[in-house]
Amino acid sequence: MTENNIILIGFMGAGKTTVGKEIAKSTKKQFIDTDDMIVKQMNLSINDIFERYGEQYFRSLETKLMENLSKSDVECVISCGGGMPLKEENRQLLKNIGTVVYLRTGVQAVMKRLKNDKTRPLLMGSKDEVKEKIKQMHKERDPIYKECADFIIETGKMSVSEVCDKILEL
Ligand code: S3P
């Protein structure tokens, strides 16, 4: 892979997929969503993969996928599942594969966006439980995302097209 690849990381609900698709369109690069690729490969939803095989197995699929992508030389925009940078091994792969952009969102924005979401196995439970989980995970992950990123974009008050413009400027 080349440094012309753009890799989007960030918390669930940060808009990585939406922004990634737009950037891929305007740069004419291939768009890759790691969750989608794993879902296709397993022919199971993310919820089902977590339920049947557990989170660690899902994480191993993420690593395998990044290893494979690192061998390809097609220029692309990669939207990573929110947990991808948690493993040190994955952070190294991401950094080697391309320019890593952290789409940073605040806890409140994430809560608002994922209010009725049923597709994220790590955010199941009552409203209060989900709120607590988001707060906790956000606190734990923010420094990890920052460490992995070449650039950080505070997406808070920005529209999708403003975020895309900012990335294209970088
Ligand atoms: C996860 C994020 C999800 C998906 C899985 C685990 C995480 O992707 O990979 O539910 O650990 O943050 P999105 O960030 O695209 O929601």
Side-chain angles (χ1 to χ4, degrees):
M1 279 232 177
T2 77
E3 73 255 15
N4 293 331
N5 296 312
I6 299 168
I7 301 175
L8 303 177
I9 62 166
F11 205 81
M12 293 171 265
K16 292 162 291 184
T17 303
T18 315
V19 167
K21 279 184 183 162
E22 278 302 308
I23 297 176
K25 210 157 103 187
S26 48
T27 56
K28 299 193 167 48
K29 294 184 200 286
Q30 187 186 338
F31 175 69
I32 292 172
D33 181 286
T34 61
D35 284 346
D36 275 0
M37 289 201 72
I38 291 173
V39 164
K40 283 197 189 107
Q41 177 197 334
M42 296 294 288
N43 203 18
L44 288 171
S45 69
I46 301 282
N47 276 331
D48 287 341
I49 299 172
F50 270 66
E51 199 183 316
R52 286 198 203 178
Y53 303 106
E55 180 177 350
Q56 285 322 308
Y57 182 72
F58 176 77
R59 299 296 174 210
S60 70
L61 295 177
E62 287 188 314
T63 303
K64 193 88 217 135
L65 173 59
M66 290 320 293
E67 281 169 357
N68 287 337
L69 288 176
S70 71
K71 291 174 198 144
S72 154
D73 49 16
V74 177
E75 282 188 14
C76 51
V77 178
I78 306 174
S79 162
C80 293
M84 180 72 83
L86 300 183
K87 278 169 76 180
E88 163 66 24
E89 165 179 31
N90 292 357
R91 291 201 287 280
Q92 277 315 317
L93 281 164
L94 296 178
K95 287 180 185 182
N96 292 341
I97 288 172
T99 304
V100 182
V101 182
Y102 171 21
L103 299 188
R104 190 162 188 270
T105 33
V107 171
Q108 295 304 328
V110 173
M111 284 182 190
K112 210 166 140 193
R113 287 185 201 167
L114 299 183
K115 210 166 48 188
N116 298 314
D117 183 78
K118 295 280 176 278
T119 64
R120 268 90 173 184
L122 296 179
L123 297 181
M124 294 299 173
S126 70
K127 217 170 151 189
D128 285 345
E129 282 165 350
V130 171
K131 217 165 148 178
E132 252 335 286
K133 282 183 192 173
I134 292 177
K135 268 196 208 159
Q136 186 59 34
M137 288 167 75
H138 192 282
K139 197 170 142 196
E140 284 166 10
R141 291 178 173 196
D142 190 46
I144 299 175
Y145 292 144
K146 281 180 175 161
E147 187 218 303
C148 186
D150 295 306
F151 298 100
I152 301 172
I153 298 183
E154 299 285 347
T155 62
K157 293 194 171 64
M158 291 165 91
S159 67
V160 170
S161 61
E162 283 168 338
V163 175
C164 292
D165 288 347
K166 186 100 196 158
I167 293 174
L168 295 173
E169 269 171 31
L170 298 172

